[in-house]
Amino acid sequence: MRKVETSEDEKLGVLEDKTEALTLRSKRTERARKKQAKRTTKANRQSQDLLSLPYELMLEILALLRPSDIFNLQRVSRAFRRFILDIERRIARDITRWRYVCLERCFRLPVLMDHIDPSIQPFVQNPERQGLLTIHKKPYQHIETPDPTEVCTCLTCLLRWSSLCLIVDFAHWQRNLDIGEPIPMIPRGKHPEWNQTLIASNAAIVRKALHSPLWHARLLEAHLHSTTRSIARHAANKGNKRRRFRMSKEDLKSGMDLFLERSGPPSFDFPFHRDNYYMLEAYLPNRGWSAEREKWMYMPAEQHEVDIGYILKWADRQDKAAAESRAG
């Protein structure tokens, strides 16, 4: 019988790949690995410790922080970020009610067009009506004109938009005011690129506040900081004998605006130019002092609805006038 020849590979059997990645054993990489593991373990343990607290207790802790602290806390971990974003509206509401009782009523948000009844939007955006608003939509050098397709252009909402943009711009120039460095002046009719970039950036921050309660609270925090710096700056000027708000060291440290509820000078005049920043101490629009009641009276939040009613009446008069013109 013929002998069957066996190949060399068959004699050796099936080869099994047992190669493995080389393990780095240097002291340097080992130290780096241990450091990274320690940092990760510590961060995870701290995050879990805080998030494991009872829900209501966690909310009370967050309500004691400043809005800027909440933004920093979001960077701790993804778990923290998800937790804060899920309850952002409640956190912002609790912080605002405790810290910014006055400022919240002075700087309300303009209403987004998406939140206005679709049947009313054409009257608000009517080109003829927009032409009547030219004096109120005047392009200030330090404020970007709002987009009428994005934000309601009733008189109340236009003023709200301008006031919020002013918060950001006034905060931007605080360092110049503190050290006495002049704010760059812009000749009438000129639009330098640096200023267009600045006001566009300011408007972008305000747009965040239109959609995020926490960003709105952050603007109130920034304006309180600007206001306390301005009051302290003017108080240090012994030659300035003007009436101002009484602000103690405790008021300054508290991070709250309750001292602005005291009797003080009028604070609603709009700074239509950056030149006004030099003498501006407290810009608090939408309120006036009642001598009879001896307290500040604030513009009601429902003023937007009142303005919408005026717009509808205006549209009705326009329709009647057009009908009479056709009939004549």
Side-chain angles (χ1 to χ4, degrees):
M1 188 174 179
R2 186 178 178 181
K3 186 177 179 181
V4 179
E5 294 183 0
T6 305
S7 67
E8 187 176 348
D9 289 343
E10 289 177 344
K11 290 180 181 179
L12 293 175
V14 179
L15 296 177
E16 183 180 352
D17 186 3
K18 294 186 177 182
T19 58
E20 295 181 1
L22 293 176
T23 304
L24 299 176
R25 294 291 185 182
S26 72
K27 293 181 180 180
R28 183 176 182 179
T29 55
E30 189 65 19
R31 285 196 301 270
R33 186 189 64 77
K34 288 181 178 179
K35 269 187 176 180
Q36 181 61 32
K38 187 177 180 181
R39 281 196 296 265
T40 303
T41 303
K42 183 178 180 181
N44 290 339
R45 184 172 62 251
Q46 290 175 342
S47 299
Q48 291 303 319
D49 287 347
L50 284 173
L51 292 176
S52 63
L53 292 174
Y55 180 76
E56 292 299 327
L57 179 58
M58 189 66 179
L59 282 177
E60 290 186 16
I61 293 173
L62 294 177
L64 297 175
L65 303 178
R66 291 177 172 83
S68 54
D69 297 328
I70 301 297
F71 277 106
N72 290 333
L73 197 57
Q74 288 188 61
R75 301 187 181 98
V76 170
S77 68
R78 291 180 181 177
F80 254 121
R81 179 174 174 78
R82 285 195 300 269
F83 178 79
I84 290 172
L85 291 179
D86 287 344
I87 57 172
E88 175 188 2
R89 187 170 297 277
R90 182 168 178 180
I91 294 173
R93 182 196 64 192
D94 291 346
I95 292 175
T96 301
R97 286 180 177 177
W98 183 55
R99 288 186 178 275
Y100 313 119
V101 178
C102 164
L103 293 177
E104 190 274 333
R105 288 177 288 175
C106 291
F107 296 95
R108 301 185 190 276
L109 294 173
V111 178
L112 293 170
M113 285 302 298
D114 291 342
H115 296 168
I116 295 178
D117 189 326
S119 64
I120 298 176
Q121 291 181 15
F123 302 121
V124 178
Q125 297 177 326
N126 183 291
E128 186 176 351
R129 179 184 166 272
Q130 293 295 320
L132 298 174
L133 294 171
T134 302
I135 188 172
H136 300 294
K137 295 170 64 177
K138 181 180 178 181
Y140 295 106
Q141 289 182 337
H142 56 324
I143 292 175
E144 185 177 273
T145 303
D147 181 356
T149 64
E150 178 187 23
V151 179
C152 174
T153 53
C154 72
L155 183 57
T156 295
C157 288
L158 284 176
L159 295 176
R160 289 177 179 180
W161 168 269
S162 297
S163 296
L164 291 173
C165 287
L166 187 93
I167 286 179
V168 189
D169 195 68
F170 189 44
H172 176 81
W173 297 105
Q174 283 301 305
R175 180 179 177 277
N176 291 63
L177 297 170
D178 283 341
I179 65 177
E181 182 177 335
I183 297 174
M185 290 294 101
I186 303 172
R188 187 185 298 273
K190 301 297 182 180
H191 306 283
E193 184 178 351
W194 68 265
N195 188 60
Q196 296 303 110
T197 301
L198 176 60
I199 63 174
S201 174
N202 294 346
I205 294 174
V206 172
R207 288 190 181 93
K208 290 181 181 180
L210 299 183
H211 300 278
S212 167
L214 198 54
W215 268 102
H216 184 210
R218 180 68 184 90
L219 286 184
L220 301 183
E221 177 190 2
H223 194 59
L224 178 60
H225 184 57
S226 297
T227 302
T228 54
R229 287 173 72 172
S230 294
I231 293 175
R233 187 167 56 244
H234 286 277
N237 182 2
K238 302 304 180 182
N240 187 347
K241 303 298 183 181
R242 293 188 311 162
R243 186 185 177 201
R244 62 176 53 88
F245 287 96
R246 300 189 309 277
M247 182 182 70
S248 65
K249 292 182 180 179
E250 290 71 23
D251 294 328
L252 187 59
K253 292 179 181 178
S254 69
M256 301 168 68
D257 68 359
L258 291 178
F259 73 95
L260 295 173
E261 289 286 344
R262 301 170 187 153
S263 174
S267 55
F268 55 82
D269 289 336
F270 183 75
F272 58 88
H273 196 280
R274 289 186 180 125
D275 269 347
N276 300 116
Y277 290 173
Y278 294 108
M279 298 303 294
L280 180 63
E281 292 186 23
Y283 173 60
L284 304 168
N286 299 310
R287 74 172 190 171
W289 179 259
S290 171
E292 181 181 349
R293 300 186 183 185
E294 295 187 343
K295 68 175 184 178
W296 294 100
M297 304 297 292
Y298 293 84
M299 187 76 72
E302 299 77 19
Q303 189 61 39
H304 161 76
E305 283 73 19
V306 175
D307 281 8
I308 290 295
Y310 291 148
I311 292 174
L312 294 178
K313 290 179 181 178
W314 172 85
D316 186 53
R317 290 196 302 269
Q318 294 298 106
D319 290 342
K320 289 180 179 179
E324 292 176 358
S325 177
R326 288 193 297 269

